[in-house]
Amino acid sequence: MTDYLVELTPIFRDILDLPDLNLTRQSNANTVEGWDSLAHVNLVTAVQKHYKIRFALGELSELKDVGEMIDLIATKTAAR
């Protein structure tokens, strides 16, 4: 079983330039320093590239935290 949180952590650390970031399923733009709209675009792009998936605009607007992103990634990668 894939541990998406472990895989996402270095992506978030790199994009947000936070080498000590402790990413959790509850992490979101309000709780993580530097997670602004530009960083969000870069995160989404990096995640899509890493997992070779595409998010629909409507899917992205409904994501409230990393946990929901993980659930969506799991759904999309399972559908391949």
Side-chain angles (χ1 to χ4, degrees), residues 45-59:
T45 301
V47 169
Q48 289 181 134
K49 183 177 178 182
H50 181 82
Y51 290 103
K52 298 178 177 55
I53 57 174
R54 301 291 291 170
F55 295 120
L57 187 56
E59 293 171 331

Side-chain angles (χ1 to χ4, degrees), residues 7-61:
E7 292 183 354
L8 288 173
T9 296
I11 295 170
F12 276 69
R13 286 177 175 170
D14 182 51
I15 298 293
L16 298 171
D17 196 24
L18 296 172
D20 297 325
L21 174 64
N22 181 23
L23 195 67
T24 69
R25 287 185 60 90
Q26 291 75 35
S27 297
N28 61 50
N30 294 322
T31 63
V32 177
E33 177 186 340
W35 188 345
D36 57 18
S37 58
L38 178 58
H40 187 78
V41 170
N42 291 334
L43 286 167
V44 167
T45 301
V47 169
Q48 289 181 134
K49 183 177 178 182
H50 181 82
Y51 290 103
K52 298 178 177 55
I53 57 174
R54 301 291 291 170
F55 295 120
L57 187 56
E59 293 171 331
L60 292 174
S61 65

